[in-house]
Amino acid sequence: MAESSNSNNPFFSVIIPTYNRQKSIIEAVESVLSQTFDAFELIVIDDGSTDNTAKLVKPITERDNRFRYIYQDNAERSAARNHGISLAKGQYICFLDSDDIYLPDHLEKFHQTIQAHQCPIAYFLSNAIMEFNGDRKKEPPYVTQTDDPVELMLKISVCSQQVAIHKSILDEFKYDVHLRIGEDQELWSRIVKHFPVIRSDQYTVVIRDLGDRTVNSMDPEMYRSNLTVRKRIISQDKEGRIRPEWRKFALSAAYYKLAVSYLKSNKRLAFFWNILQSMMVDPGHFPKDKILVMISAIPFLKPMVYNKLPVFVKDA
């Protein structure tokens, strides 16, 4: 059952960073404003949009006192989220990207889970529904052989859209504004060292591929950042909670993705260096796939192995 709305004392603060997403921002906003649980505020941080975002969004402030629109000079999404956190009044903070949506009971189900655990200072994690070309598919909960959340956060990807975090945690721990990819994983890895992780079985956030997601880009800069994040998480593990085999797996995967991004950019020397790094760090990490990818980097040999390549490599 929803609590009565109170914009001065909301239970949740939902933060949406946006940049030039005029085609999807209204749907994202309305998915929050139509929640069955209404004790929330919604803060849109416009990170310097040059399209019609402001014109489309500002009128909503006149009809719903739970909604705030804030414009800032472009500083990337981590800075936008941090700005939203600094303005938030809610007990718990949730995030949504401006091309994704909440199902109507997203906040209600998080509220039920939080209340069931007596509203702790904690990090709550839900599942996700992935949407591509209008087709939706539930992502299975990640099952892995570890009880240590630090290990878990090194190996899996948890989107900001999937979490609800007590405000006091995010007052202390912020997104690193220098990271453009993996910034959420780096933040989670710091948080879960100190606070409990509580999983919810809900599937109420829809993460959509509209063709312009940052994480879909094969820009090597993005994957260099991903490698940097993995190295940082490992270097910050002073207690040795991450097992050696997990460290090797994570670094090998990061080098592998960076190598493929270089192949996509036709930078073959950088490709070969990074894929060899991947193989040396963890020889057991998909060795056959990597050999096939190396063969495919030789133009006249690519047709011979194309059908055997991993899906994410085929267009590289």
Side-chain angles (χ1 to χ4, degrees):
M1 182 177 178
E3 294 183 355
S4 61
S5 177
N6 184 340
S7 59
N8 292 318
N9 187 30
F11 189 84
F12 291 108
S13 293
V14 179
I15 297 168
I16 301 180
T18 190
Y19 176 72
N20 286 348
R21 287 278 174 76
Q22 63 180 21
K23 293 182 179 180
S24 58
I25 182 62
I26 294 301
E27 190 174 3
V29 166
E30 294 296 350
S31 80
V32 179
L33 296 179
S34 62
Q35 290 292 296
T36 54
F37 180 91
D38 67 357
F40 67 85
E41 64 173 351
L42 171 57
I43 306 171
V44 168
I45 304 294
D46 186 340
D47 189 36
S49 293
T50 57
D51 62 3
N52 288 322
T53 293
K55 183 178 180 180
L56 291 170
V57 170
K58 281 184 177 179
I60 302 174
T61 62
E62 299 175 5
R63 66 174 170 86
D64 199 318
N65 64 4
R66 298 171 301 177
F67 178 74
R68 284 190 279 168
Y69 169 80
I70 308 294
Y71 182 90
Q72 67 175 35
D73 291 336
N74 182 254
E76 296 291 346
R77 63 188 176 202
S78 290
R81 289 184 183 130
N82 286 344
H83 190 179
I85 291 165
S86 71
L87 300 172
K89 301 175 183 176
Q91 297 177 50
Y92 291 84
I93 293 179
C94 297
F95 300 96
L96 184 64
D97 281 0
S98 53
D99 49 357
D100 299 325
I101 59 173
Y102 286 163
L103 297 185
D105 57 351
H106 179 75
L107 294 181
E108 183 174 355
K109 288 194 172 180
F110 255 143
H111 182 252
Q112 290 170 353
T113 301
I114 291 169
Q115 281 200 315
H117 289 84
Q118 301 181 336
C119 298
I121 297 176
Y123 169 102
F124 289 83
L125 169 63
S126 72
N127 300 316
I129 300 169
M130 310 304 293
E131 180 180 305
F132 182 72
N133 289 335
D135 294 327
R136 293 182 180 180
K137 180 181 179 181
K138 289 183 177 180
E139 283 283 286
Y142 198 93
V143 178
T144 187
Q145 295 178 340
T146 182
D147 294 321
D148 193 313
V150 177
E151 278 193 329
L152 186 68
M153 293 304 168
L154 176 65
K155 200 167 184 180
I156 71 171
S157 264
V158 175
C159 297
S160 294
Q161 302 92 308
Q162 296 175 248
V163 305
I165 305 175
H166 197 276
K167 172 69 158 57
S168 65
I169 297 175
L170 291 172
D171 285 338
E172 179 180 358
F173 296 91
K174 296 291 193 297
Y175 287 92
D176 185 333
V177 298
H178 300 102
L179 296 175
R180 295 184 60 201
I181 192 169
E183 72 284 350
D184 34 19
Q185 300 311 116
E186 193 276 336
L187 175 58
W188 311 155
S189 73
R190 287 184 278 127
I191 288 174
V192 301
K193 288 182 179 180
H194 306 283
F195 300 96
V197 176
I198 300 173
R199 298 198 67 155
S200 167
D201 62 359
Q202 68 190 67
Y203 281 92
T204 53
V205 59
V206 182
I207 299 176
R208 306 191 296 177
D209 186 346
L210 301 181
D212 60 349
R213 296 193 74 88
T214 303
V215 292
N216 287 346
S217 170
M218 288 303 291
D219 182 353
E221 182 183 350
M222 300 296 179
Y223 289 95
R224 284 195 296 269
S225 180
N226 178 59
L227 178 60
T228 297
V229 167
R230 303 299 170 184
K231 287 182 175 180
R232 184 182 299 183
I233 292 173
I234 290 169
S235 68
Q236 290 173 348
D237 177 33
K238 305 301 184 184
E239 301 84 8
R241 293 169 61 170
I242 303 172
R243 286 169 286 178
E245 60 266 30
W246 287 57
R247 295 176 181 227
K248 292 190 294 183
F249 182 95
L251 288 178
S252 181
Y255 276 117
Y256 184 23
K257 291 175 182 177
L258 178 57
V260 173
S261 73
Y262 278 125
L263 184 59
K264 175 82 170 180
S265 303
N266 203 30
K267 297 179 180 179
R268 283 178 164 73
L269 183 60
F271 160 73
F272 280 111
W273 191 90
N274 281 280
I275 203 159
L276 288 172
Q277 287 293 313
S278 176
M279 297 176 78
M280 288 189 293
V281 167
D282 187 357
H285 181 263
F286 301 108
K288 292 181 180 179
D289 285 352
K290 291 172 185 175
I291 291 172
L292 288 171
V293 175
M294 290 178 72
I295 294 172
S296 77
I298 303 170
F300 72 90
L301 293 179
K302 184 173 182 177
M304 298 172 57
V305 299
Y306 181 79
N307 290 332
K308 298 179 181 179
L309 291 173
V311 174
F312 85 101
V313 180
K314 282 189 175 181
D315 294 330

